[in-house]
Amino acid sequence: MASLPSLFRRSETAVAAILLLAMVLIGLINPAFWQLDNLFNLLRANVVIGIMALSVLMVMISGGIDVSFPAFAAAGMYLTVIAMNHFGYQGVVLPFIGATLIGLVCGLLNAAFIHSFRMIPLIVTLGTASVVRGLLLGLVGTSIINIDRMPQSLIGFGRTTIEIGGSQLTAMLFVYLGLAIAVWLFLTRTMLGRGLFAYGGDAESAKRVGFDNRRIVYVVYGLAGALAGFAGLLHASMIWLANPRDFVGFELDVIAAVVLGGASIFGGRGSVLGTLLGVFMLVLIKNSLIIMRVDNTWQGVVVGAVIVAATALTAWRDRKKLA
């Protein structure tokens, strides 16, 4: 069990303290913030971006970066919904397995280029994102599948709620938390998860102590793609439409949330708890900007500034420890 001084030095504690302070200040300015409906809406907004953040967390721990997951999410979502409509299928299990597999295949494509050709992850994921989104729009279609044509089973699944204190809490939150626990168990309770931290810290050293670097790269990028595909279809079920142009610019928010949660841009460091807190903080910031009626353009400025500040802080922290 961590001692009290070490607990206070952890980045998760700092993020939680800042988050709590921000919530108290917002609550003092506008007491309606503490209403269950508002808190439940905030938690609902965490679900999709949080699942994507879990995928990016694993990639960042490995020392890489992934900007292709929004395109994979759009492909998994749109192709699955089109297939459901074509075959008239009304279940939910097979579609989610299908969307996850589409993301998995795309993620393995990233891993093949990164490991086999020793290419820079940013370049590879930029390229695959462009290819996948281009193929989706060029070969499959650009029309939005609205609520009238969405499979009713997906809509029903996304609308599942639990009543607490007279307010409705989306059941998708528990899907998100379940995936977070699964990723936490993978990172902390499996040899492959420990190898991921070792690979991100020093790939050559990880190889010398016996970790299979090839396996680590394929598992990391495969899981990242799979989570993106799953999150894409979950997003469609929650908003009741499928748009192939969706998730454009989403990578900025997700990477910001992961960096806010304390993940190192140099690899080898990051936690699921920190990522959950980082996602909630980013959602809180964006929600507050909307309440204050700040224009979308300026919201982008704020998110970009948060990324730069958080990245600078983690870089300074990591270099200080190496000194």
Side-chain angles (χ1 to χ4, degrees):
M1 187 175 178
S3 62
L4 204 57
S6 64
L7 189 64
F8 281 114
R9 284 197 296 269
R10 294 183 61 169
S11 57
E12 292 89 346
T13 307
V15 175
I18 295 171
L19 186 58
L20 186 61
L21 179 63
M23 291 174 70
V24 169
L25 288 175
I26 295 172
L28 288 174
I29 296 170
N30 184 3
F33 171 80
W34 292 109
Q35 290 181 359
L36 273 182
D37 283 336
N38 182 58
L39 294 177
F40 286 177
N41 283 334
L42 279 177
L43 292 173
R44 186 179 188 276
N46 277 250
V47 174
V48 173
I49 186 175
I51 294 173
M52 291 184 175
L54 292 172
S55 73
V56 171
L57 169 69
M58 291 188 286
V59 173
M60 288 187 71
I61 289 175
S62 74
I65 191 75
D66 184 0
V67 294
S68 61
F69 62 88
F72 297 170
M77 168 188 66
Y78 199 60
L79 293 175
T80 304
V81 172
I82 284 180
M84 289 181 73
N85 283 341
H86 180 75
F87 293 107
Y89 186 78
Q90 286 298 332
V92 292
V93 176
L94 283 181
F96 274 102
I97 292 175
T100 303
L101 287 177
I102 290 171
L104 174 66
V105 171
C106 293
L108 292 177
L109 186 66
N110 277 340
F113 280 107
I114 291 169
H115 185 268
S116 302
F117 298 100
R118 300 290 188 272
M119 293 177 67
I120 299 171
L122 177 62
I123 304 301
V124 171
T125 55
L126 272 173
T128 53
S130 179
V131 169
V132 169
R133 199 175 284 278
L135 289 175
L136 185 66
L137 297 175
L139 299 180
V140 182
T142 58
S143 63
I144 298 174
I145 299 174
N146 57 31
I147 188 171
D148 295 332
R149 294 189 294 151
M150 277 290 288
Q152 292 303 308
S153 57
L154 272 186
I155 293 177
F157 180 73
R159 295 177 66 176
T160 308
T161 57
I162 298 171
E163 184 173 337
I164 300 176
S167 299
Q168 303 296 322
L169 174 65
T170 176
M172 301 306 107
L173 181 67
F174 299 100
V175 176
Y176 168 40
L177 294 178
L179 288 172
I181 292 172
V183 171
W184 175 75
L185 289 173
F186 167 69
L187 290 174
T188 60
R189 297 294 187 270
T190 67
M191 190 56 71
L192 197 57
R194 295 177 190 280
L196 185 57
F197 285 94
Y199 179 82
D202 188 333
E204 186 58 33
S205 297
K207 184 178 180 181
R208 288 182 180 177
V209 297
F211 288 113
D212 185 343
N213 288 357
R214 177 177 179 274
R215 188 180 176 200
I216 289 173
V217 171
Y218 273 86
V219 168
V220 167
Y221 285 94
L223 283 177
L227 282 173
F230 181 89
L233 190 59
L234 191 65
H235 175 73
S237 73
M238 294 176 72
I239 65 171
W240 311 337
L241 61 84
N243 181 1
R245 300 183 188 278
D246 219 339
F247 303 117
V248 173
F250 221 66
E251 60 273 17
L252 184 67
D253 290 354
V254 175
I255 292 172
V258 178
V259 173
L260 269 175
S264 172
I265 57 173
F266 299 115
R269 186 196 302 275
S271 72
V272 170
L273 177 60
T275 299
L276 297 184
L277 293 170
V279 169
F280 192 86
M281 180 176 286
L282 187 76
V283 170
L284 183 67
I285 290 171
K286 297 195 77 172
N287 184 69
S288 302
L289 294 174
I290 292 172
I291 290 175
M292 290 186 286
R293 298 181 181 179
V294 175
D295 187 77
N296 283 341
T297 305
W298 290 104
Q299 289 181 31
V301 172
V302 172
V303 173
V306 168
I307 288 181
V308 172
T311 304
L313 186 62
T314 55
W316 173 77
R317 180 196 63 190
D318 292 341
R319 292 190 187 284
K320 188 178 178 184
K321 287 191 175 181
L322 289 174

